[in-house]
Amino acid sequence: MQKLILIDGNSLFFRAYYATAYTGGELMKNKQGVYTNALFGFINMVDKILQQPYSHVLVAFDTKEKTKRHEAFDDYKAGRPPMPQEMAQQIPLIHQYLKELNIKDESLAGYEADDIIGTLSKEAADLGYEVAVYSSDRDLLQLINDKVTIHLLKKGVTDIEDLTPKTFFEKYGLHHSQMIDLKALMGDPSDNIPGVPGVGEKTAVKLLQQYETLENILQNKDQISGKLGERIRENEDKAILSKMLATIDLNVPLDFNFHDLERKQMNYEGLVNFYNEMDLHVFIKKLNKPVETKDDFITKIITDHDQFSTILKPNMAIHIELADFNYHTSDIIGFGLSDGETNYFIPKDIGLASIDFQLYLSDPSIPKLTYDQKAFRTALKWLGYDLQGVTFDLLLSSYLIHQKIAKEDFKVICMAFDYEDIEYDELIYGKGAKKGLPELSIYSRHVAKKAKAIFSLQPLLIEKLKTLELYDLFTNIEMPLAIVLSDMEYSGISVDQNELKQQKTNLKNRIDTLEHQIYESVGKKFNIGSPKQLAEILFVDLGLDPSKKTKTKNLSTNVDVLNTLIDKHPVIPMILDYRQLTKLYSTYIEGIEQSIFADGKVHTIFAQALTATGRLSSLEPNLQNIPIRTEEGRQIRKLFVPSKPNHYFVSADYSQIELRVLADMANVAGLIDAFNKKEDIHTRTAKEVFGSETVTPEERRKAKAVNFGIIYGIGAWSLAEDIHTTPRDAQAFIDKYLSIYPEIKTYMEQTVDNAVKQGYVKTILNRRRYIGELESPIYAVREFGKRTAMNAPIQGSAADIIKKAMIDLHAYIYKNKKKSRILLQVHDELVLEVPESELVEMQKVVPEIMSKAIHLKVALESSCDTGKNWYELK
DNA sequence: CTCCGCCGG
DNA sequence: CATTTCCGGCGGAGA
């Protein structure tokens, strides 16, 4: 099959830039600060396009030179804003990419990409080729014929509309040859093509359906009555000019032949180097490089446990390779061990059967370097072994250096620090359904290389931690916390399975009943869980008013919308109930049920190197979002019970920790005074803002909304939504608030200023958050960066404080040999399991330790509660 | 895989 | 000219 793919390079490049500029926050760039977002989008699109079978390919670009269209019409393409710097920088990258791909990259002075594509599509079609053109420019539609299909990029990267003569007719009601005439009549503001003023798409189509061509319209111009006829007669010259401008030149003098467009092998090494330079590692994975086995890295595979006594030394790097992400259940594949000189692979059974090796792992006086101490320690615990003496953790240290690094594969962490001799896990083990173990020689080497990497990177990372003033945070907080979290995760939390079954049946019955009532109420069956189908029912069948749209222009059916419709139709409250009950059923009842281990407990994983602010997050299952706000949902908490008889749950939570942190960091006299006098902080704020001694509940509610909003870097618009007033009043309200607490205003301004200058903000314990968004050329992204800069030190400092408290509490428990165990952390709250004999002590000690964790200008207060299950707390 | 929706602090 | 309060995890639908 002979198939030619023609790509409109300019069009893809523009689309790529703007599609990725608005979505991902800050503009993407590589380590050297070169912007790569448009390159990234461009590669994605080209990659997708080239997945089909084809024999020939070319990418065409415009040049800066004037074309004959400019000569004919001075204002052609006038009024276009200049290309942003961030975008222009990426043009050479695009060309380099195409060069490495070995794809013909063509432009010609005096002609546009359209003309090159038009000429080639005609020649190829004449030779009997099938032609596929890719662009987002509708102008190219004039090239459609039986051999030539135009693929219009609609939005983003994936949405492509294929136009053939048939689909063109169905869409426009015109023959494809009439496309040029259509544009001649309508004009095109983006190219500054005038067209006939006052004639839009509707009128133009009608005219062309009647008269077929522009020429025929002009011949019959006197028969066209009214204002329309008048306009056509007055603007005849504009229409003719427009047609000329819109017509693609099919006779560009190209000095190459089809042979030059043949599909060729890419330059593999060059492309890998290029991706590495641009930090576009995701594309390297896609290349599916075969695993190479020839280089000078030597892996010693331990086959006999006698060997250990001579190998094991202090300060080696040890890596435990796990088969799955969830280390509570995962198999251990084996151990990597390295002293920087020799690199070993220890098969799981050989290692664990050796007393020498067991003692080595568990000896706290032998320092060891690892990748993820929490995972390794927990995985070993499940098998009955202990890991102690870890002094370095690659995952945690890289997370502190930059919060984004640690989200990726092991290799990406290494590459962030210019360590190259390591492969992607995906390349070794495959992914998805294809995941599995390759032969021993391949994976043993991979694991040993990881150990070598840990060993090699340790000095550099320690040095970086010190220069960034993060070393204390690393050694005093994150490292000891890993052990605390490991204990918490391993302890797990018991689930009352009878309660679970009961709630499950109960919910199921209520959902079934509701489902039938809903079908009856609207008169037909549909999938209530589908927002799309629900929108159809509500806004089309029932004719209700759609008040809001989603981000992608669909009609929204979320709670806010449904609540505004609540008395407009009896089905609305049923749907709200249905949503709540199915949420509880699938996310919580079924979700938790699936996560129960053989010991009758759930063992969550607290991700310690994930969030941008320094908070923890909880996974599989997430125990940080168990319902509490509605009574119905709160019932779920009855599932969680102490694991032993005569034990209780004790929970303690910080009161207003974020506002206290703000009061401290910004030194806010009014807030500090209020907290020290133990006043209700929202009431106090309301008194000051409204200038009265008595405060209505409504006033307190508003004050609370601002107090929270201020932490998030509030805007008037959203505060207005929140407290149901106009943005104008909301702004006045914020102004008043800031005049009462003027230190907040100063602090926020300084924080943002500093963030802009330095590129990051810091918490109480020096934790950094880099905010690249502040450099974005896009207003909305920069504004987002400012809010982040204001919020991150507050949220992050609160996270620092509770982490310190957890470490102190854990130390207290061990030092005093208590049987109480910390089970959960929910951002400002700790939940413990406490034997009856320790109840009184822990009720006193836990809040005390939390309060004293870090000294602030205001007291940290913590309340405490006790119960027989989680529901009874608070 | 992305979107929508909803649970928590 | 615009902008729409921060940080997360997870389930189901639909492509």
Side-chain angles (χ1 to χ4, degrees), chain A residues 374-529:
Chain A
K374 176 163 70 75
F376 297 173
R377 183 173 185 267
T378 314
L380 286 172
K381 258 190 163 179
W382 281 103
L383 301 174
Y385 305 97
D386 196 11
L387 174 65
Q388 293 204 54
V390 173
T391 56
F392 176 75
D393 185 302
L394 179 56
L395 184 69
L396 290 178
S397 49
S398 57
Y399 172 62
L400 292 183
I401 289 165
H402 198 300
Q403 69 269 24
K404 277 189 177 166
I405 301 176
K407 284 189 177 180
E408 311 272 348
D409 189 282
F410 192 107
K411 178 181 172 77
V412 178
I413 296 182
C414 292
M415 298 210 305
F417 301 103
D418 296 321
Y419 184 90
E420 302 285 345
D421 188 21
I422 192 90
E423 260 321 330
Y424 290 103
D425 283 336
E426 222 173 278
L427 287 181
I428 305 293
Y429 302 111
K431 75 166 190 178
K434 288 185 206 151
K435 198 170 169 186
L437 265 195
E439 53 185 279
L440 174 70
S441 65
I442 293 172
Y443 71 78
S444 59
R445 169 189 191 79
H446 181 59
V447 177
K449 279 192 177 188
K450 286 188 177 177
K452 169 93 184 281
I454 296 165
F455 187 91
S456 311
L457 284 170
Q458 186 242 7
L460 173 69
L461 267 74
I462 294 288
E463 189 200 308
K464 278 196 190 280
L465 288 172
K466 287 184 175 163
T467 46
L468 299 176
E469 298 178 307
L470 291 167
Y471 190 67
D472 285 348
L473 180 61
F474 175 70
T475 47
N476 301 334
I477 302 289
E478 298 298 348
M479 289 293 279
L481 183 70
I483 293 175
V484 178
L485 293 173
S486 163
D487 282 349
M488 291 164 62
E489 294 171 0
Y490 184 74
S491 292
I493 179 163
S494 287
V495 176
D496 181 337
Q497 310 221 24
N498 285 328
E499 177 71 23
L500 186 138
K501 284 198 185 73
Q502 225 176 311
Q503 290 202 22
K504 186 172 183 177
T505 324
N506 178 17
L507 281 172
K508 180 90 177 78
N509 289 337
R510 293 171 63 194
I511 290 167
D512 286 347
T513 312
L514 260 178
E515 194 180 320
H516 285 106
Q517 288 172 347
I518 289 170
Y519 296 152
E520 220 168 276
S521 174
V522 302
K524 66 161 131 171
K525 282 195 171 188
F526 66 105
N527 187 341
I528 310 166

Side-chain angles (χ1 to χ4, degrees), chain A residues 119-322:
Chain A
T119 303
L120 284 169
S121 79
K122 180 170 181 304
E123 283 180 21
D126 289 348
L127 291 169
Y129 284 48
E130 194 185 319
V131 181
V133 176
Y134 288 86
S135 177
S136 56
D137 189 348
R138 303 196 113 76
D139 286 6
L140 287 160
L141 294 177
Q142 61 189 274
L143 301 176
I144 292 178
N145 63 42
D146 291 337
K147 287 284 180 190
V148 181
T149 307
I150 310 291
H151 304 267
L152 276 184
L153 292 105
K154 303 285 284 185
K155 59 166 189 222
V157 186
T158 45
D159 194 358
I160 294 178
E161 183 181 18
D162 305 338
L163 287 151
T164 60
K166 184 163 171 283
T167 51
F168 182 90
F169 183 77
E170 282 163 5
K171 189 169 162 122
Y172 292 92
L174 294 176
H175 189 261
H176 48 89
S177 63
Q178 291 170 293
M179 187 64 207
I180 310 176
D181 304 84
L182 184 69
K183 198 160 166 185
L185 289 163
M186 283 169 59
D188 181 348
S190 73
D191 288 347
N192 210 23
I193 294 180
V196 177
V199 174
E201 182 171 343
K202 291 261 157 61
T203 316
V205 169
K206 224 159 66 188
L207 285 168
L208 287 171
Q209 281 167 346
Q210 193 180 345
Y211 295 101
E212 290 194 357
T213 65
L214 175 66
E215 290 71 20
N216 202 25
I217 292 170
L218 295 179
Q219 268 181 20
N220 294 289
K221 62 192 173 193
D222 295 330
Q223 294 165 23
I224 300 168
S225 58
K227 196 79 187 157
L228 178 60
E230 207 174 289
R231 283 194 178 127
I232 292 171
R233 289 186 290 275
E234 272 171 26
N235 295 291
E236 195 169 339
D237 53 335
K238 279 191 183 157
I240 293 168
L241 172 69
S242 296
K243 180 158 182 174
M244 192 285 261
L245 293 173
T247 303
I248 290 175
D249 188 341
L250 301 180
N251 296 297
V252 178
L254 297 171
D255 62 352
F256 55 87
N257 58 42
F258 276 80
H259 186 65
D260 298 323
L261 308 187
E262 275 172 13
R263 180 175 184 169
K264 297 187 195 72
Q265 279 290 318
M266 67 179 104
N267 173 5
Y268 184 84
E269 290 300 321
L271 200 55
V272 169
N273 287 340
F274 177 66
Y275 287 152
N276 268 325
E277 241 174 81
M278 293 301 126
D279 287 328
L280 298 174
H281 308 293
V282 62
F283 294 121
I284 300 179
K285 286 191 212 170
K286 281 195 182 171
L287 288 175
N288 259 331
K289 185 187 181 182
V291 178
E292 284 176 27
T293 46
K294 54 166 196 314
D295 62 44
D296 56 2
F297 185 90
I298 295 171
T299 310
K300 286 204 174 171
I301 299 180
I302 309 269
T303 51
D304 187 331
H305 40 255
D306 289 351
Q307 295 168 272
F308 282 112
S309 56
T310 55
I311 298 171
L312 298 171
K313 287 178 289 191
N315 289 309
M316 291 181 91
I318 177 153
H319 177 78
I320 304 185
E321 188 79 338
L322 298 164

